[in-house]
Amino acid sequence: YQRRVRGPMERLLNFNEPLDVSLLDRVVGAMFTGSQQERVEASNILNQLREHPQAWTRADSILEKSTNLESRYFALQILDNLIKYRWKTLPRDQANLIRNYITSMILKLSQDEETLRRERLVLDKLNLILVGILKQEWPHHWGSFISDIVEASKKSDSVCENNMKILRLLSEEVFEFSRGDIV
């Protein structure tokens, strides 16, 4: 049973208005520094937001506008859940937009050594999300993935380094999947 939260935090659940990212940052912050009551209210509102069918439409705003690492990670969890549980129900054009957005975020955060190090936690989660997309898209809907990643690797050493991590994660997934079939 989830208690319905009233008040300013509830504005986060209004999908008819642009997301107030600073309010989200404050609610996420309340999860860690608020009173017991504030933590309960923040948890309830964040769970409602995470479970909202349109929550994924807010992830890009959070990732691009929030300076709070926990808020950005929250957005990544929303995307991860979308890919795990609802990916096949998305219209093809939306799936392609999300895939391209994730790819561009990865390239942006791995463009140079300094950004790659500073954004490591977010980048690692984005890499896992991309592998989740690949498990559903490749080869039927993303047959060019291998050539795309090879071409992107030419941009810089740090992009190449991160792309090697993506390929390692993908190979681990394939190995785990095949091992599950053997057992």
Side-chain angles (χ1 to χ4, degrees):
Y1 174 74
Q2 226 171 43
R3 186 169 74 82
R4 190 102 169 106
V5 177
R6 299 270 176 234
M9 287 187 202
E10 197 171 63
R11 288 195 347 248
L12 293 175
L13 301 175
N14 183 350
F15 282 77
N16 295 320
E17 294 180 13
L19 178 67
D20 182 345
V21 176
S22 64
L23 175 59
L24 176 71
D25 286 345
R26 290 192 305 275
V27 172
V28 169
M31 286 287 298
F32 300 99
T33 61
S35 68
Q36 179 65 27
Q37 181 183 350
E38 289 170 330
R39 283 194 294 257
V40 168
E41 289 176 6
S43 176
N44 285 338
I45 207 77
L46 291 173
N47 284 333
Q48 289 176 50
L49 179 57
R50 184 183 299 116
E51 293 167 9
H52 193 284
Q54 295 299 311
W56 66 272
T57 64
R58 302 294 178 97
D60 60 337
S61 294
I62 299 167
L63 288 169
E64 292 168 20
K65 296 177 183 171
S66 178
T67 55
N68 180 326
L69 180 61
E70 290 84 7
S71 295
R72 294 173 73 209
Y73 206 80
F74 176 76
L76 294 170
Q77 289 174 325
I78 289 170
L79 288 173
D80 195 34
N81 287 341
L82 172 73
I83 290 152
K84 284 180 183 171
Y85 304 114
R86 297 184 39 227
W87 187 259
K88 296 208 185 284
T89 66
L90 291 174
R92 175 73 2 227
D93 61 329
Q94 286 181 346
N96 288 340
L97 282 172
I98 295 166
R99 181 185 85 193
N100 292 341
Y101 177 76
I102 297 296
T103 303
S104 69
M105 281 295 293
I106 288 171
L107 289 172
K108 178 181 167 186
L109 297 181
S110 64
Q111 66 186 339
D112 60 66
E113 195 70 28
E114 181 186 331
T115 308
L116 183 124
R117 300 291 168 237
R118 186 180 66 244
E119 297 287 345
R120 172 54 57 205
L121 185 66
V122 171
L123 187 58
D124 286 348
K125 185 67 174 173
L126 282 166
N127 289 344
L128 289 169
I129 289 170
L130 183 66
V131 169
I133 291 172
L134 281 165
K135 286 167 40 179
Q136 305 212 34
E137 294 284 289
W138 188 71
H140 304 295
H141 295 294
W142 197 358
S144 64
F145 167 71
I146 298 297
S147 59
D148 292 350
I149 200 166
V150 168
E151 190 60 34
S153 295
K154 297 174 184 176
K155 293 180 189 254
S156 72
D157 288 347
S158 55
V159 170
C160 184
E161 175 187 336
N162 190 65
N163 286 349
M164 291 296 120
K165 289 180 181 183
I166 292 169
L167 291 172
R168 188 198 66 204
L169 289 168
L170 185 59
S171 69
E172 289 170 358
E173 286 288 332
V174 169
F175 178 74
E176 287 296 318
F177 178 77
S178 66
R179 203 168 77 183
D181 283 351
I182 294 170
V183 175

